[in-house]
Amino acid sequence: MHADVIVIGSGVAGLSVALAAAPRRVLLLSAGRLAVDGASHWAQGGIAAALGPGDSAELHAQDTLAAGAGAGDLAVIRTICAAAPEAITWLRGLGCCFDVSAGQLQLGREAAHSHARIVHADGDATGAEVMRTLAHAARRSPSIEVQEGFHACTLLRDQRGRVVAVRGTDAQARAYVFRAPVCVLATGGVGRLFAYTTNPKFAQGQGLQMAMQVGAELADLEFVQFHPTALRPSDVTDVARSGALPLLSEALRGAGAVLVNAAGERVMAAVEGGDLAARDVVARAVYAAHLEGGVWLDARTAIGSAFPHRFPAAFAACQKQGIDPRLQLIPVVPAAHYHMGGVRTDALGWSTLPGLAAVGEVACNGLHGANRLASNSLLEGLVIGRRLGAQLREMSLPRVSDVCPAPAESTSSDLAQLAVCIELRSLMWRAMGLQRNASDLRSALGRLQDIAVAVSATPSLGPLGLMAAMLRAALARPQSLGAHWRQDDLRPPPGGSASGCTNAA
Ligand SMILES: Cc1cc2nc3c(=O)[nH]c(=O)nc-3n(C[C@H](O)[C@H](O)[C@H](O)COP(=O)(O)OP(=O)(O)OC[C@H]3O[C@@H](n4cnc5c(N)ncnc54)[C@H](O)[C@@H]3O)c2cc1C
């Protein structure tokens, strides 16, 4: 196929670009099955949009800036928050069924949002409904060709340095090179680099690795959000093998569930905001309680018998582990959940390299700052994805000239193939997790070098290269900010961060 645009990734971001770019011919590459293989399909809580009485896009923007510890780009934040209501209208127009009562959209409330503004579907299954809708539209679009089971490995440039092609392998391990004047990375996050994560299989940061390899600028790699409440597996010794941990949405605490420690005491009792304090604050407190004997979510009184119909996905996950949350405490642990850092882009998704754009979780456009506000990421994928797609539809695209030969080493040695995968994920969890310090970060970097030698990998490329870049970024920021928590930071937090960044938690 001769494509105008190659989009790598079929989550909310990739599909939004592809649909908005029509009638441009888009080749959509997806490592797994269209629309169900990414984090988008797993999203629970919903999409933030200022639609309720007394709410406004500006209030949404201020909440976003505050959650990000003031480190976000206010212009980008305002653009995305202002576009949220229209994004919801667009999805509804495509047939997306959000939860309504008396003809009005139901608006949920989540931590660090000043207003109820979370649009959701089927209670806690928003992502599945949004992705069903987008996938249906994409399959009907004559301008979108989908290649499922295609694993992109390397970006290729022409003589002038423009990104013009993607190399990778299909499900039968046959190698292909696809060419187009524009390549869009929409490959999602990096959670699978950590022992405990809520992220799906392909969230190994391969888009970032490809971007690094061709010299695109990356930004804010140290900012990783840890969700406070993943369902703790019964066999904690084998956690790195267990894949993703089921998420227990913040909405549970929004409905009154509380965190308790091994002694049955409230974990968040003494902290401002209590169980609904900012996500990074709760995650650190849960981590501390986890190290001291364990932490549980108690939904028995607040939710009780309403649990199965109010939170069907969480209920099913608990049941799978033999827990009845109506009657029992739910064991939880924090887990790597979202990467605020990524390929540095402008407000339309363009990277620092010609021909290369990035949207969704793989990108860093300034929306999230040092900490993502809950339910802002589906929104980001929708808004920036559609804006980029609309621009691609209108702009004139250059012809693709010959591609340069790819560098000898590609990023194809993905994490799953590395024999040391479990050790690497544990290493990242310990050094790049909720409590960071210079000594652990340095020794993790040293260990990565040793591993690179042992497996004959180039230390600056592939998953090892990305992990090293993340560790170096964390080392380079000695002061805590948002989700980046330095135990060895003895200075007071800058300006008393609104994200509750305090070294006392
Ligand atoms: C359990 C969970 C619940 C969440 N709940 C919410 C929520 O309620 N609200 C919210 O706003 N956010 C939520 N998030 C975050 C949000 O889901 C993600 O940030 C967002 O969906 C990312 O969208 P994306 O399109 O960038 O990536 P994804 O949806 O992750 O899609 C990535 C795509 O890239 C493909 N890919 C990756 N590598 C390659 C490769 N090498 N070659 C080819 N294809 C590749 C994958 O196959 C996939 O198709 C949640 C996340 C999780 C994990």
Side-chain angles (χ1 to χ4, degrees):
M1 179 204 189
H2 169 74
D4 296 317
V5 180
I6 295 171
V7 176
I8 310 172
S10 69
V12 67
L15 284 174
S16 297
V17 177
L19 288 167
R24 288 279 186 207
R25 283 163 302 180
V26 174
L27 175 60
L28 187 69
L29 305 174
S30 189
R33 279 202 301 128
L34 179 79
V36 298
D37 60 355
S40 301
H41 182 73
W42 292 11
Q44 297 185 355
I47 305 174
L51 292 162
D55 201 3
S56 70
E58 184 57 23
L59 289 172
H60 183 183
Q62 292 304 330
D63 291 346
T64 302
L65 187 68
D73 178 328
L74 190 55
V76 172
I77 294 172
R78 283 188 167 134
T79 301
I80 293 175
C81 294
E86 198 275 323
I88 300 294
T89 306
W90 178 68
L91 280 174
R92 295 184 88 183
L94 289 178
C96 190
C97 294
F98 291 116
D99 295 332
V100 289
S101 45
Q104 299 288 317
L105 281 170
Q106 285 178 12
L107 298 175
R109 180 134 192 196
E110 282 181 345
H113 283 276
S114 60
H115 285 71
R117 60 166 78 101
I118 314 301
V119 179
H120 48 85
D122 296 330
D124 58 359
T126 310
E129 173 60 10
V130 168
M131 296 314 292
R132 181 200 64 76
T133 306
L134 294 179
H136 182 68
R139 289 204 189 279
R140 287 162 55 99
S141 168
S143 62
I144 300 174
E145 179 173 321
V146 178
Q147 283 273 335
E148 293 177 309
F150 185 88
H151 205 90
C153 298
T154 312
L155 296 169
L156 305 172
R157 286 173 295 169
D158 67 10
Q159 304 290 349
R160 286 167 299 155
R162 184 181 181 90
V163 174
V164 289
V166 179
R167 191 169 63 191
T169 49
D170 71 5
Q172 285 76 43
R174 290 176 301 213
Y176 289 88
V177 172
F178 293 112
R179 297 174 190 210
V182 174
C183 294
V184 181
L185 292 170
T187 47
V190 300
R192 284 293 178 122
L193 302 183
F194 293 83
Y196 291 92
T197 182
T198 61
N199 284 192
K201 181 173 161 194
F202 298 113
Q204 297 181 15
Q206 212 163 16
L208 287 180
Q209 295 163 36
M210 288 190 274
M212 259 174 87
Q213 191 184 15
V214 286
E217 236 179 85
L218 308 185
D220 294 353
L221 293 185
E222 67 275 32
F223 294 135
V224 179
Q225 181 172 82
F226 296 89
H227 198 286
T229 53
L231 182 61
R232 193 174 74 221
S234 37
D235 183 1
V236 279
T237 54
D238 200 20
V239 69
R241 287 180 208 277
S242 66
L245 306 184
L247 181 77
L248 299 170
S249 152
E250 229 142 46
L252 288 162
R253 278 173 286 130
V258 292
L259 290 157
V260 295
N261 64 17
E265 296 154 348
R266 295 272 303 271
V267 171
M268 299 305 296
V271 180
E272 195 187 334
D275 289 274
L276 286 176
R279 195 171 269 187
D280 59 321
V281 177
V282 183
R284 282 194 292 275
V286 169
Y287 186 62
H290 166 71
L291 296 178
E292 284 167 13
V295 53
W296 291 261
L297 198 56
D298 186 351
R300 293 173 301 178
T301 311
I303 305 174
S305 58
F307 205 117
H309 75 263
R310 284 188 71 184
F311 303 100
F315 187 71
C318 289
Q319 280 207 311
K320 212 168 164 190
Q321 216 162 289
I323 298 159
D324 185 341
R326 293 169 294 190
L327 307 170
Q328 290 169 289
L329 298 177
I330 313 167
V332 296
V333 66
H337 185 57
Y338 185 84
H339 196 203
M340 280 71 75
V343 178
R344 186 190 290 285
T345 71
D346 64 15
L348 271 174
W350 291 106
S351 79
T352 52
L353 287 186
L356 182 65
V359 284
E361 193 168 337
V362 69
C364 179
N365 55 33
L367 171 67
H368 307 296
N371 203 6
R372 178 188 70 122
L373 181 66
S375 291
N376 263 356
S377 37
L378 290 177
L379 175 64
E380 175 189 9
L382 286 164
V383 172
I384 303 294
R386 289 178 66 217
R387 282 165 61 92
L388 177 68
Q391 193 195 36
L392 290 169
R393 185 178 65 220
E394 301 301 331
M395 70 193 281
S396 67
L397 299 174
R399 286 167 60 92
V400 175
S401 50
D402 282 347
V403 298
C404 292
E409 177 128 6
S410 81
T411 62
S412 60
S413 56
D414 78 324
L415 197 61
Q417 288 165 6
L418 283 180
V420 288
C421 169
I422 291 171
E423 180 188 348
L424 286 169
R425 290 178 66 185
S426 302
L427 175 144
M428 288 296 276
W429 176 250
R430 283 194 307 273
M432 256 319 268
L434 286 106
Q435 293 178 358
R436 301 168 178 177
N437 62 68
S439 148
D440 287 353
L441 290 165
R442 282 204 192 93
S443 75
L445 276 166
R447 183 66 195 133
L448 280 188
Q449 281 284 349
D450 295 344
I451 290 172
V453 172
V455 300
S456 306
T458 308
S460 57
L461 290 175
L464 297 179
L466 175 59
M467 288 175 178
M470 292 172 73
L471 290 163
R472 279 196 298 272
L475 202 50
R477 189 183 287 280
Q479 198 163 19
S480 298
L481 189 68
H484 170 68
W485 178 251
R486 287 284 300 249
Q487 286 174 299
D488 50 353
D489 173 11
L490 301 175
R491 292 168 290 178
S497 146
S499 73
C501 178
T502 151
N503 279 5

